[in-house]
Amino acid sequence: PTAFTQGLVFADGIFYESTGLRGYSTLRKVAPETGAVIQQVPVESQYFAEGLALVGNELLQLTWEEHTGFVYDKATLKRLRTFTYPTEGWGMASDGKSLVMSDGSSHLFFLDPRTQKPVRKLQVFDGPRPVERLNELEFIRGELWANVWQTDRIARINPATGRVTGWIDLTGLLRPEARGPEGDVLNGIAWDRAGDRIFVTGKKWPWLFQ
């Protein structure tokens, strides 16, 4: 529950997790069966780590206000290089072909997976209304799922059109007595493609749910 979860990826039978807050940000490998941290590397204290995506054998990690992203080797967690972007960094996801990031607005930004250069910008709508505060992202069965910050809802988005096709309401998933202060909101979605399992958690949540 000390992990301020910002990005979550499932691959090779383990979780890769990006945790935030300045001075506490990390990139870590976590065992799904026990929640034990297998390996972690710190992020320098001037950075507030955010979303995380897996592209090939590399992990890409965003930072909130620093306009800087980090690229790591998946096996060793060694940092390989950095990249930059003009907006804030919130959530990030990849389906192997597309790489997309959020900045807390109603817009999504598609990047070239190899160069991290912008490719297109997409605004998300639920009917006529734009959906603001898009946060952690995950591609699941051709859809793009997005946590909406400070809510217990996940938007299911058509990545071609930006239209919301449905909502997942996870109100009550975590018992109220297990939830900490106001900032400890739902945040963290991962998909086990082979096992077709979906995982969700939140910032400083003591539980991860399948």
Side-chain angles (χ1 to χ4, degrees), residues 91-93 100 102 108 134-148 153-159 165-168 170 188-191 197-200:
M92 199 176 211
V100 61
S102 62
L108 297 173
L134 298 172
N135 199 358
E136 156 74 342
L137 306 171
E138 182 71 58
F139 280 100
I140 298 177
R141 307 188 200 102
E143 298 178 335
L144 188 59
W145 289 24
N147 281 126
V148 178
R153 299 207 305 165
I154 295 173
R156 298 170 62 175
I157 302 163
N158 181 323
T165 60
W167 289 93
I168 299 165
L170 295 176
I189 313 168
W191 182 36
R197 296 181 294 170
I198 296 165
F199 303 97
V200 295

Side-chain angles (χ1 to χ4, degrees), residues 109 111 157 168 209:
F109 303 87
L111 312 176
I157 302 163
I168 299 165
F209 296 89

Side-chain angles (χ1 to χ4, degrees), residues 1 16 22 34 57 68-69 95 100 107 162 180 188 193 199 201 204 210:
Y16 297 86
R22 289 190 178 88
T34 63
N57 291 315
T68 302
D95 63 355
V100 61
H107 289 93
R193 182 187 298 266
F199 303 97
T201 190
K204 294 190 174 181
Q210 174 184 312

Side-chain angles (χ1 to χ4, degrees), residues 121-208:
K121 182 178 177 180
L122 181 69
Q123 191 169 20
V124 176
F125 286 90
D126 182 18
R129 298 185 306 276
V131 181
E132 303 286 345
R133 299 183 297 180
L134 298 172
N135 199 358
E136 156 74 342
L137 306 171
E138 182 71 58
F139 280 100
I140 298 177
R141 307 188 200 102
E143 298 178 335
L144 188 59
W145 289 24
N147 281 126
V148 178
W149 184 52
Q150 292 185 322
T151 78
D152 286 325
R153 299 207 305 165
I154 295 173
R156 298 170 62 175
I157 302 163
N158 181 323
T161 66
R163 295 290 171 181
V164 172
T165 60
W167 289 93
I168 299 165
D169 188 345
L170 295 176
T171 301
L173 178 65
L174 184 69
R175 300 187 311 274
E177 61 271 21
R179 188 181 293 219
E182 185 178 345
D184 296 356
V185 296
L186 185 76
N187 201 50
I189 313 168
W191 182 36
D192 170 13
R193 182 187 298 266
D196 199 21
R197 296 181 294 170
I198 296 165
F199 303 97
V200 295
T201 190
K203 302 172 189 284
K204 294 190 174 181
W205 281 23
W207 299 95
L208 182 142

Side-chain angles (χ1 to χ4, degrees), residues 47-59:
Y47 296 107
F48 191 123
E50 285 273 355
L52 185 70
L54 177 63
V55 178
N57 291 315
E58 295 181 339
L59 291 159

